[in-house]
Amino acid sequence: MKLFRRGKAPQRPWCAAVVAAAGESRRMGQDKLTLSLGGQPVILHTLWALERCPEVSEIVVVTREDLIVPLSQLCADAGLAKLKRIVRGGPTRTHSVQLGVQEVSSRAELIAVQDWPPSGCWRRSFNRPPCAPPPPPPCQ
C-alpha cells in the first residue's frame, strides 16, 4: 500500500458566481452599487472578492439595463479576468438570478449566487467560504 501518491492534484469543479445586482435600491434612496466605499464603488468590492477566490472560475453580473454600460466600463478598468458577462436583470430577484444562471458556461458544475441578505440579519453561525469577507456584526 502506498502512503503517498504522486500525480495530479484533484481538479476543482468549475464554479460560476452569479452576482444579483439588479435591484432599484428603493429603501436606500440611492444606488447602492455605485456608492463609494473606501474610495471604490461597492460593487467592485464584491467583484474583487470573487476575482480573488480560487474556487470561483467565472463571474456573471446581473444588473439594471441603465447600469450595463457603466458597470462594463468599471469592470474593464478594474481588469477583472473572471468576469464573463454583464446581463440585464428581470422584474424580480428570482427572475434576475435565473437570467444570470442561463449565462454561465456549460462547463459549470457549481453555481454560487451572491446577494446581500434580503432584509435580514446575518447570523454568527453563518458558514462562509474562505474567500468571503467577514459578516457584519449581529443585529441588535
Side-chain angles (χ1 to χ4, degrees):
M1 170 174 34
K2 287 187 176 184
L3 294 178
F4 301 101
R5 294 182 185 198
R6 290 189 180 157
K8 289 184 175 180
Q11 290 263 343
R12 282 193 190 116
W14 186 270
C15 178
V18 174
V19 178
E24 296 176 10
S25 303
R26 277 184 252 153
R27 289 178 292 169
M28 184 79 173
Q30 57 185 324
D31 191 359
K32 293 182 282 194
L33 298 178
T34 57
L35 279 179
S36 181
L37 177 66
Q40 297 293 331
V42 169
I43 187 70
L44 268 186
H45 291 276
T46 296
L47 297 175
W48 279 330
L50 293 169
E51 182 79 21
R52 289 188 306 265
C53 186
E55 290 81 11
V56 173
S57 306
E58 70 179 42
I59 304 166
V60 174
V61 177
V62 185
T63 192
R64 299 189 318 262
E65 189 167 12
D66 63 306
L67 288 178
I68 291 176
V69 172
L71 284 183
S72 296
Q73 186 61 54
L74 189 68
C75 292
D77 293 346
L80 297 169
K82 292 182 182 180
L83 182 69
K84 180 182 180 222
R85 187 162 291 151
I86 298 176
V87 298
R88 183 176 58 86
T92 65
R93 179 184 177 278
T94 301
H95 191 231
S96 293
V97 169
Q98 288 174 339
L99 291 169
V101 167
Q102 290 172 1
E103 296 297 325
V104 303
S105 296
S106 60
R107 49 196 252 197
E109 298 172 61
L110 299 172
I111 299 173
V113 177
Q114 187 280 335
D115 190 19
W116 299 105
S119 67
C121 299
W122 290 37
R123 305 282 181 234
R124 284 217 183 268
S125 62
F126 182 74
N127 293 321
R128 330 178 253 121
C131 55
C139 297
Q140 300 296 327

